[in-house]
Amino acid sequence: MTVTQSRPTPAKASPIFGRMRGRVVILLCIMYAISYIDRTNISTAGPTIIKALDLTTAEFGIAVAAFSLPYALFQIIGGNLGERIGPRKALFWIGILWGVATIATGFSVGLASLVGARLLLGLTESAAFPTATSAMAKWVPIDRNGFVQGIVHSASRLGNAAAPLIVGGLIIWGDSLGGPIAGWQVSFIIVGVLSALWAVLWATLYRDRPEDYPRITEQELSEIPRALERAARPPVPWKRLIRTILPVTFVDFGYGWTLWVFLTWIPSFLADSYGLALADYAVFTAIVLLAGVVGDTVGGIFSDRILRRTGSLRNARRSILLIGLLGSLVCLTPLLFGHNLALSIVSLSLSFFFLELCNATLWAIPMDVAPEWSGTASGMMNTGFGLAGIFSPILFGYLVGVAGWQWPFAASIALLAAAAVVAAVMKPQRVLPNSVSEWEQTSSS
């Protein structure tokens, strides 16, 4: 038996803000923004770190990729663990520990210590987004999955866009102090403390069970899929879940490869290709990444709108993925043939906008097909992004060192094309518990 969703899609969008779930979404937006500042501040500080620690571009690529090794390996485990212990407790400890890892990055003295700090950061963040997705599934009506994923990931891209300005400013300010701690180290310490403060705020304000949230109404509780209110979660149907999510994982790999290029190498590309100083390439990088803020929100809104109009999850999610992947591919192409700063900024900005149309859709699919195990399912999906994060910085950095910038961008274009092919043929369907009749009887009681 296959169904597309757990309840009929309403003709009118369910409200998010003006409900208690809006507060949950805002808290998660803050987390997503901070988490991406934590994981991408190394790219803005990259040219400074390379000089300070006497690294090659290939070695710096290894340090960046070190984040993604545990991040990829522990996605499924982290997502499943977050479901078991609950998002409130899980995200509290995740926030504390990734704050410690960020501070440790600032005290790195060489390649080994830098890699160690990045490994710890990847380990602690591996469960963050799957667990946050589990929190959303507890609170968000199914017809708003794409919109909410778009909002929180827009916040993450806002963190991306702000990171060059924040980190660049902190580096300049820290260096101006003339103390024993360099400016790039100051930037990591301050951002790490900010992460820990968010964790405390989350544990104070969030509740795993919507009915335990202060002042929540019966109207809002009735808008949440009833299956998600069960205290006992059914066993994970691993085979069917893997079979459904695996094509999405591949698409996420192609998306993730190119995203890591933007998050890791754009500052170095602008500095190396056009001889820009820190303040200049930080501003241009922020402009490029701001396009992703718009793309995330637009992708989620239009994907949900197609779902409400057609009632087809496949059409709603696939169409946005194809537009995003192919649009990003086309807009990257000018970088292979031209050398002009204005053209590069426009091409990168448009490419990133189209790429980020995919992000909310990719994260909405696990919520669509497996709301009961959204943490586990999103961990499976995001394993593709984690694997891309292992290979993309290393191979991209290697290709830059031996062949310049055109070949690495060409590789990204090829992977986007492959991801578009898979997105065109995949058929994500609702995954039901092993015993459907028992589930329906229990969830209706």
Side-chain angles (χ1 to χ4, degrees):
M1 176 181 179
T2 57
V3 295
T4 56
Q5 57 204 57
S6 58
R7 68 187 182 96
T9 304
K12 185 178 180 181
S14 302
I16 295 298
F17 302 104
R19 298 282 200 272
M20 292 298 113
R21 55 177 168 261
R23 301 184 183 186
V24 174
V25 172
I26 291 172
L27 283 172
L28 291 174
C29 284
I30 297 171
M31 184 207 82
Y32 276 61
I34 294 173
S35 71
Y36 262 88
I37 293 174
D38 277 354
R39 72 175 70 175
T40 61
N41 51 9
I42 193 171
S43 66
T44 301
T48 305
I49 293 175
I50 289 172
K51 292 180 181 179
L53 303 185
D54 194 24
L55 304 176
T56 66
T57 56
E59 288 173 332
F60 180 69
I62 291 172
V64 174
F67 167 90
S68 293
L69 182 61
Y71 187 81
L73 294 177
F74 291 96
Q75 281 288 316
I76 300 173
I77 297 173
N80 187 262
L81 181 63
E83 288 176 351
R84 292 178 179 274
I85 68 176
R88 186 187 186 202
K89 184 183 295 185
L91 287 178
F92 168 75
W93 286 110
I94 288 168
I96 293 293
L97 291 175
W98 95 47
V100 171
T102 302
I103 293 171
T105 305
F107 287 101
S108 299
V109 295
L111 178 61
S113 55
L114 183 62
V115 167
R118 294 291 294 179
L119 286 170
L120 178 59
L121 183 65
L123 177 64
T124 55
E125 286 205 25
S126 63
F129 286 7
T131 302
T133 299
S134 179
M136 288 180 237
K138 293 176 181 293
W139 283 86
V140 177
I142 191 171
D143 68 295
R144 301 295 267 170
N145 286 350
F147 172 76
V148 170
Q149 288 288 1
I151 288 293
V152 297
H153 283 283
S154 287
S156 74
R157 297 303 170 259
L158 190 59
N160 290 154
L165 302 177
I166 294 173
V167 175
L170 288 173
I171 292 173
I172 294 172
W173 174 73
D175 285 336
S176 70
L177 297 178
I181 301 178
W184 68 270
Q185 295 175 302
V186 170
S187 69
F188 283 96
I189 293 170
I190 291 176
V191 174
V193 171
L194 186 63
S195 303
L197 291 176
W198 176 86
V200 174
L201 183 66
W202 171 260
T204 303
L205 299 180
Y206 177 78
R207 297 295 181 270
D208 286 330
R209 287 161 40 95
E211 54 266 39
D212 293 339
Y213 207 87
R215 299 189 303 279
I216 194 167
T217 65
E218 290 297 326
Q219 173 65 31
E220 181 167 1
L221 288 175
S222 70
E223 295 166 348
I224 302 171
R226 200 163 158 83
L228 300 178
E229 297 174 27
R230 291 189 61 212
R233 198 167 50 91
V236 178
W238 289 102
K239 289 184 179 180
R240 287 183 289 118
L241 197 58
I242 291 172
R243 191 163 56 243
T244 299
I245 296 296
L246 189 58
V248 191
T249 302
F250 181 83
V251 176
D252 194 45
F253 179 87
Y255 158 83
W257 173 285
T258 309
L259 178 62
W260 277 110
V261 170
F262 279 94
L263 301 186
T264 305
W265 292 108
I266 297 306
S268 296
F269 167 69
L270 295 175
D272 181 56
S273 297
Y274 300 103
L276 300 179
L278 170 61
D280 294 324
Y281 73 67
V283 171
F284 285 126
T285 300
I287 291 172
V288 171
L289 297 181
L290 274 172
V293 178
V294 180
D296 269 298
T297 301
V298 169
I301 289 173
F302 278 93
S303 185
D304 282 350
R305 184 172 295 177
I306 295 171
L307 172 60
R308 287 192 296 273
R309 288 183 177 180
T310 67
S312 170
L313 284 172
R314 187 187 182 204
N315 289 339
R317 307 314 185 199
R318 181 180 61 174
S319 58
I320 297 299
L321 287 176
L322 289 175
I323 292 171
L325 294 167
L326 294 175
S328 183
L329 179 160
V330 170
C331 293
L332 273 182
T333 304
L335 297 179
L336 304 182
F337 306 104
H339 184 77
N340 178 276
L341 178 59
L343 176 64
S344 294
I345 298 302
V346 172
S347 296
L348 289 169
S349 298
L350 289 174
S351 178
F352 197 51
F353 166 80
F354 280 106
L355 184 71
E356 286 305 285
L357 292 179
C358 304
N359 198 18
T361 300
L362 286 167
W363 280 95
I365 291 174
M367 297 174 70
D368 295 334
V369 303
E372 298 82 18
W373 316 281
S374 54
T376 302
S378 60
M380 289 181 183
M381 181 276 296
N382 205 38
T383 298
F385 175 79
L387 290 173
I390 296 172
F391 296 107
S392 179
I394 294 176
L395 294 179
F396 199 97
Y398 172 77
L399 289 173
V400 168
V402 301
W405 292 96
Q406 282 75 18
W407 279 104
F409 282 120
S412 300
I413 289 172
L415 280 171
L416 287 172
V421 171
V422 175
V425 299
M426 70 183 188
K427 300 178 180 179
Q429 294 177 315
R430 177 74 162 88
V431 178
L432 295 174
N434 288 320
S435 177
V436 176
S437 59
E438 179 183 349
W439 170 257
E440 290 175 342
Q441 181 180 359
T442 305
S443 61
S444 63
S445 61

